[in-house]
Amino acid sequence: MKALFIEEQAVRAIAQAITFQSGEFDDAQALAEFIHTGNKTNIKYVCCRKFKNWGYIFHKDRTNIHSYVLFDLEKLNSFVEKDDSFIITVLQKVFKFALKRWDNYPLNVSEKIITDNHAILFPFPYTNLNPFKILINLSPDESYTIKRNIKCICVEDMGVGQFDTCTESSINIKNIRTEAERICTPIQQDEGEAIEIEPLQVTELDNIQKSINGFLDYYRWLPILSKKQKDFITRPLRGNERLEGAAGTGKTISLLLKSIHLIMEARSANKPLKLLFICHSISARDKLKMQMEIATPYKNILEQGYSEQYIEITTLQEWCTTYLGNSIGQTELLDADAQECKDIQFKLVRDAFLDAKENDYPTYKHLCSEKFINYINNTHDVFIIEALASEISITIKGRASGDLEKYRQLPRLEGVMPIEYEGDFNFVYLIYEKYQSMLEQLGYFDNDDISLSSSLHLASPIWKRKRIEFGYDVILIDEVHLFSYNELAIFHYLCRDEREQRILYAIDKTQAVGDHGLTNERLNKSMRTENGEETYLSTVFRSSPQIIDLAFSVLTTGAEMFRNFDNPLKKINFSFTRSEEQKSRTPRYIMLATDNEMLKFAFNHLDELAKELNIKRNNILMISADYEIQTKLENYAKKYNKPIEVLKRRGDYTSIEYANRENKYVLGYIDYVGGLEFEAVIMVGIDKGRVPKYGKNESMVYQNYEWLNRLYVAITRAKYTVTIIGNRARTFSPIFKSAIDSGRIEVINKQSI
């Protein structure tokens, strides 16, 4: 085709319907196929026709050819040869720009008017100085269009480098529109064949997707799933499978619907099926159970013994303590919740480290390596304690089984403490012994004790015989990136058949805060999934393009420094309709004179934002960057009678529900916000020296890694907008330099308030 003509009503339908937002939907793929081949097709809401080597896309039951978008395909080189996701992303970017122009809406940072007659669009996230862009002629053939009050834009070029804005379009505007008057007319029949019109309005379809926060029944989910999600959910089991994707791509709901689909198939075939669905925390488990009860078409699907097909939803720690029976009691656990348990572990390791640093380090440091001494002397205690907790959990307890000699001989993992000399090992092992002594005195077992003991039990001949009866046909694991190596080693033992394992797990490695050396190779080895099926979800359902652009910029800031760092936003699609983009705001970085003004502005801004977006204040999450800011926010709220609900653990959905009932502000420490989603996010205390916070030594590389994780998770909790607040005296956090330079975030210096 030489040109493509899309009339206004088709533009509006495609820009709004969720099944056209990404190249992973069937409707979007059918639209892209028309552009590839020119073959006539009818898709939801629109018809596609080719005539005289021109392509026409128009609405099935209403048209307006006085406003339209043109693509000059003769000048666009290989556009029609691009993949479906590329084509759909470009179409959506152009269509939403056209509607903003026609309806007088403001443009965002990726849409720029460069002359009276031309605009530039940036459809993809970028960090270099020469990104991919689209050139649009805002008024082609003015002598014809202005006289007839025609609103027309024409896509004339796309690619990198400089564009020539002086060349004229090869499209005869008058001829292509004249043909459109005859071709683009509402139709009910085509060549004797009835065209099925969707009874559901486009806006209604959109409302289904975005208002439910994950709570829909199985059959209402199906029409709004992407093709990759549907394929994953409905395809037959072929052994182990890995489901990977960025935040907000629907990994959890895909696992949930997969489990329901497997139950449905088993019941239809009258075959027994026993599923185990493992969550990381109690809060995640409780939310998933609520989602399951709404999504499943069957009653009592979670009750063992009710039928031969059922799902057991639990946490790994809960399953292990149940299995161990009399070996361990609930009162001997640090905490019943895995995340809470890890938080308590951190505090105990902190006490052990501070004691050893004061009383033992002066003696040991004469035997330690220079790198280790520099690390201890120049690194903030918080980061040393985090590294020690990982060292004790993964290497000393897990890999070395608590044996000092074995610990010394083990190869070092990547991104861990710089331990070289015997003195380094001895000092760290001393801290481990102090920590272990604390557990024994308190009468507690930690996560690692439970998982390692479980591994020993599950590797025994007794379980090998019992697993046929008590094991599971399929195991589904959500948020694998949050489990430790010791915990990962358990999963494959839980399968009923050792030779034919079926483990399905969801992962976003970039959310793994404190991920020490978790390579794909080690992950697959731990999960026994080296030859398993992999599905990568690339359509983001939660966050606006502006938010994903900001997250992409943050990740790219330091990603190249880390061999094992994953940037899941390199090639991403959006499922964000035009009405949602109208509610979206460019992210803002607001600097204030003092910390006290920062606190006051944070609460005031949250109230203003809630009013602007017409939402309750509990739909906006306030995030603290460190414990000092967290305490200051809590004290400020108490002093000025601001009703707040503080997140107590990662994915604390119970606190969110309570805040909703009581209309409270929601405040969360940055490590607790994963697994949640909000209309907007306000991050407080994001400035140089606090984000990231480190000393002057090589350990800052890994600390940057952790902060990239944290900020990625925090930013992607938001749907419509993100506001970052910092102290002007400290200046901006260096992690946001790229976002500031590229205009992905609006910088505002507030005067005293």
Side-chain angles (χ1 to χ4, degrees):
M1 295 184 293
K2 293 183 177 180
L4 189 62
F5 177 102
I6 310 98
E7 58 84 24
E8 180 196 352
Q9 293 300 328
V11 169
R12 292 187 183 278
I14 294 169
Q16 183 67 7
I18 192 160
T19 53
F20 289 104
Q21 299 304 312
S22 158
E24 293 188 357
F25 288 98
D26 291 336
D27 290 335
Q29 290 177 2
L31 181 62
E33 182 64 18
F34 170 70
I35 294 172
H36 288 311
T37 65
N39 294 335
K40 179 177 69 174
T41 183
N42 294 318
I43 319 171
K44 187 180 292 182
Y45 310 118
V46 298
C47 294
C48 304
R49 298 289 183 270
K50 181 181 176 183
F51 182 74
K52 291 185 177 179
N53 213 21
W54 292 335
Y56 295 88
I57 301 174
F58 57 97
H59 201 280
K60 287 180 176 179
D61 58 359
R62 57 185 183 276
T63 59
N64 177 20
I65 60 171
H66 288 283
S67 300
Y68 51 88
V69 173
L70 293 175
F71 280 75
D72 188 344
L73 298 181
E74 285 195 320
K75 296 178 66 177
L76 294 179
N77 300 322
S78 60
F79 173 64
V80 297
E81 300 172 2
K82 298 290 186 180
D83 62 47
D84 294 353
S85 291
F86 180 96
I87 288 175
I88 294 302
T89 299
V90 169
L91 288 179
Q92 285 291 350
K93 191 67 182 178
V94 172
F95 289 173
K96 287 168 183 173
F97 170 80
L99 293 173
K100 288 179 185 178
R101 187 165 176 81
W102 296 339
D103 298 341
N104 296 316
Y105 279 97
L107 304 181
N108 63 38
V109 69
S110 63
E111 302 162 331
K112 301 182 185 298
I113 306 297
I114 58 171
T115 70
D116 290 342
N117 293 324
H118 287 89
I120 292 286
L121 309 183
F122 299 90
F124 308 109
Y126 65 90
T127 55
N128 58 36
L129 298 177
N130 192 21
F132 185 91
K133 48 192 177 290
I134 303 169
L135 176 67
I136 292 182
N137 190 329
L138 301 175
S139 52
D141 199 352
E142 288 181 292
S143 61
Y144 175 78
T145 57
I146 292 177
K147 291 179 182 178
R148 293 162 179 80
N149 195 28
I150 291 173
K151 297 177 181 178
C152 170
I153 68 169
C154 181
V155 180
E156 294 186 337
D157 206 349
M158 60 180 66
V160 297
Q162 297 295 318
F163 292 141
D164 184 356
T165 59
C166 298
T167 60
E168 295 184 2
S169 172
S170 60
I171 303 174
N172 187 314
I173 302 292
K174 179 180 179 180
N175 288 351
I176 195 169
R177 186 183 174 279
T178 300
E179 295 296 345
E181 290 180 348
R182 183 169 65 87
I183 296 170
C184 301
T185 56
I187 55 176
Q188 295 300 318
Q189 289 190 335
D190 182 31
E191 299 178 1
E193 182 178 339
I195 296 176
E196 182 180 353
I197 303 296
E198 282 288 326
L200 207 61
Q201 294 298 312
V202 177
T203 52
E204 293 175 343
L205 180 62
D206 171 56
N207 288 339
I208 288 177
Q209 173 66 18
K210 297 299 181 181
S211 63
I212 41 87
N213 195 25
F215 294 92
L216 272 183
D217 68 63
Y218 179 86
Y219 294 105
R220 293 184 71 201
W221 270 115
L222 291 180
I224 53 178
L225 296 172
S226 71
K227 188 176 187 301
K228 279 190 177 180
Q229 287 175 316
K230 285 181 185 175
D231 289 345
F232 171 78
I233 291 164
T234 59
R235 70 177 172 228
L237 286 173
R238 292 180 287 200
N240 299 319
E241 297 192 40
R242 170 173 168 154
L243 181 65
E244 187 168 359
T249 52
K251 298 182 294 297
T252 299
I253 202 64
S254 295
L255 278 182
L256 182 145
L257 296 176
K258 176 73 172 184
S259 65
I260 293 175
H261 182 78
L262 292 172
I263 291 288
M264 293 171 70
E265 283 190 329
R267 290 200 174 185
S268 297
N270 197 28
K271 292 182 178 179
L273 185 68
K274 184 180 177 183
L275 302 182
L276 177 65
F277 201 127
I278 295 180
C279 307
H280 179 256
S281 65
I282 291 174
S283 54
R285 178 205 66 186
D286 292 344
K287 182 181 179 182
L288 191 71
K289 283 186 175 181
M290 287 190 286
Q291 290 178 302
M292 180 68 76
E293 288 170 353
I294 292 173
T296 177
Y298 305 115
K299 291 183 178 179
N300 307 109
I301 193 173
L302 301 177
E303 293 185 20
Q304 184 174 354
Y306 184 83
S307 75
E308 290 186 309
Q309 303 87 18
Y310 71 95
I311 304 170
E312 182 180 346
I313 300 179
T314 185
T315 66
L316 182 61
Q317 183 164 298
E318 190 176 51
W319 190 93
C320 289
T321 52
T322 301
Y323 168 73
L324 288 173
N326 295 328
S327 299
I328 185 170
Q330 289 293 327
T331 58
E332 296 178 288
L333 301 176
L334 273 179
D335 195 275
D337 184 270
Q339 185 61 52
E340 284 289 301
C341 188
K342 289 177 181 178
D343 292 340
I344 297 172
Q345 281 180 279
F346 176 87
K347 293 174 183 177
L348 294 178
V349 171
R350 177 195 62 196
D351 292 345
F353 167 68
L354 294 177
D355 178 67
K357 185 178 181 182
E358 180 179 354
N359 298 313
D360 304 293
Y361 181 62
T363 301
Y364 275 85
K365 73 177 182 180
H366 300 293
L367 305 173
C368 294
S369 66
E370 185 177 348
K371 281 187 177 181
F372 187 79
I373 293 171
N374 287 335
Y375 179 83
I376 297 297
N377 292 344
N378 298 317
T379 304
H380 194 283
D381 283 351
V382 170
F383 301 110
I384 296 176
I385 295 160
E386 287 177 346
L388 280 168
S390 176
E391 186 78 10
I392 290 170
S393 170
I394 295 172
T395 305
I396 299 179
K397 282 194 170 187
R399 300 168 66 212
S401 302
D403 184 270
L404 176 59
E405 289 305 316
K406 187 174 182 181
Y407 172 49
R408 289 171 178 159
Q409 296 170 12
L410 284 171
R412 302 295 292 159
L413 299 174
E414 295 182 35
V416 295
M417 300 179 73
I419 299 176
E420 296 179 339
Y421 292 179
E422 184 175 345
D424 306 343
F425 285 100
N426 289 346
F427 181 66
V428 172
Y429 193 82
L430 173 70
I431 296 169
Y432 156 70
E433 289 182 318
K434 288 177 180 287
Y435 165 74
Q436 199 64 23
S437 176
M438 290 178 186
L439 288 180
E440 292 171 3
Q441 290 174 22
L442 294 170
Y444 285 130
F445 294 100
D446 63 14
N447 273 5
D448 300 298
D449 295 328
I450 295 168
S451 56
L452 292 168
S453 298
S454 297
S455 295
L456 292 173
H457 279 73
L458 294 169
S460 68
I462 295 175
W463 174 254
K464 287 183 179 180
R465 185 180 302 176
K466 285 187 173 182
R467 70 190 296 176
I468 298 172
E469 178 182 355
F470 296 107
Y472 299 86
D473 298 298
V474 182
I475 297 171
L476 303 101
I477 311 161
D478 194 24
E479 296 189 300
V480 159
H481 47 268
L482 298 179
F483 291 94
S484 70
Y485 282 132
N486 299 331
E487 293 167 324
L488 293 176
I490 293 176
F491 295 127
H492 68 278
Y493 288 117
L494 306 182
C495 297
R496 186 193 302 275
D497 191 336
E498 186 176 6
R499 296 162 299 179
E500 190 177 354
Q501 296 184 359
R502 295 185 175 93
I503 300 175
L504 287 67
Y505 67 94
I507 184 172
D508 176 6
K509 278 182 60 186
T510 318
Q511 293 195 50
V513 175
D515 165 18
H516 293 255
L518 183 59
T519 63
N520 282 335
E521 180 182 358
R522 292 189 63 85
L523 178 64
N524 287 333
K525 185 176 181 180
S526 296
M527 299 291 290
R528 307 282 178 94
T529 56
E530 293 94 334
N531 301 315
E533 187 89 22
E534 291 190 8
T535 299
Y536 187 85
L537 301 179
S538 58
T539 298
V540 173
F541 292 90
R542 178 192 300 145
S543 302
S544 72
Q546 294 99 314
I547 290 171
I548 296 302
D549 271 358
L550 177 61
F552 175 86
S553 180
V554 166
L555 291 184
T556 308
T557 295
E560 297 304 318
M561 293 193 300
F562 314 112
R563 188 171 68 84
N564 298 320
F565 190 89
D566 287 344
N567 187 348
L569 304 177
K570 286 181 179 177
K571 188 175 181 182
I572 209 73
N573 304 302
F574 301 104
S575 181
F576 227 67
T577 63
R578 185 195 171 225
S579 62
E580 290 169 329
E581 286 204 10
Q582 288 172 357
K583 292 182 69 176
S584 302
R585 303 289 185 272
T586 299
R588 287 167 282 190
Y589 202 145
I590 300 175
M591 303 299 283
L592 293 111
T594 66
D595 280 2
N596 286 336
E597 290 195 358
M598 233 173 32
L599 306 177
K600 180 180 178 181
F601 179 80
F603 282 97
N604 291 345
H605 179 63
L606 191 150
D607 289 332
E608 292 170 0
L609 201 55
K611 188 174 181 180
E612 182 183 340
L613 295 174
N614 192 27
I615 57 177
K616 294 173 67 176
R617 61 191 178 196
N618 60 272
N619 288 322
I620 301 174
L621 173 63
M622 190 181 296
I623 299 175
S624 60
D626 65 14
Y627 291 116
E628 180 188 358
I629 291 295
Q630 175 84 3
T631 302
K632 286 183 176 182
L633 285 166
E634 292 181 28
N635 291 339
Y636 181 92
K638 184 177 181 180
K639 180 178 180 180
Y640 293 99
N641 297 316
K642 303 285 187 181
I644 63 169
E645 185 67 20
V646 179
L647 299 182
K648 300 172 182 64
R649 58 181 65 89
R650 189 183 192 278
D652 187 1
Y653 191 70
T654 303
S655 292
I656 302 302
E657 285 190 309
Y658 181 73
N660 181 45
R661 290 196 301 270
E662 302 296 325
N663 193 26
K664 290 186 171 186
Y665 298 92
V666 180
L667 171 63
Y669 178 61
I670 195 167
D671 284 348
Y672 290 173
V673 303
L676 301 171
E677 53 188 84
F678 293 81
E679 306 290 283
V681 160
I682 297 173
M683 302 167 64
V684 186
I686 309 295
D687 41 41
K688 188 175 182 180
R690 279 194 284 230
V691 178
K693 181 185 290 184
Y694 44 64
K696 297 179 180 179
N697 63 62
E698 61 184 345
S699 66
M700 63 184 289
V701 174
Y702 185 73
Q703 291 156 29
N704 269 330
Y705 177 102
E706 289 185 317
W707 274 106
L708 295 175
N709 286 129
R710 287 185 170 99
L711 291 171
Y712 164 73
V713 173
I715 291 167
T716 54
R717 298 311 95 196
K719 183 183 295 185
Y720 295 121
T721 189
V722 170
T723 300
I724 297 169
I725 302 173
N727 188 318
R728 189 160 55 243
R730 290 175 173 267
T731 71
F732 304 102
S733 165
I735 289 179
F736 287 92
K737 184 180 185 304
S738 175
I740 294 171
D741 292 345
S742 61
R744 283 186 170 85
I745 189 165
E746 179 185 1
V747 176
I748 302 172
N749 280 296
K750 282 278 184 184
Q751 301 304 316
S752 296
I753 56 175

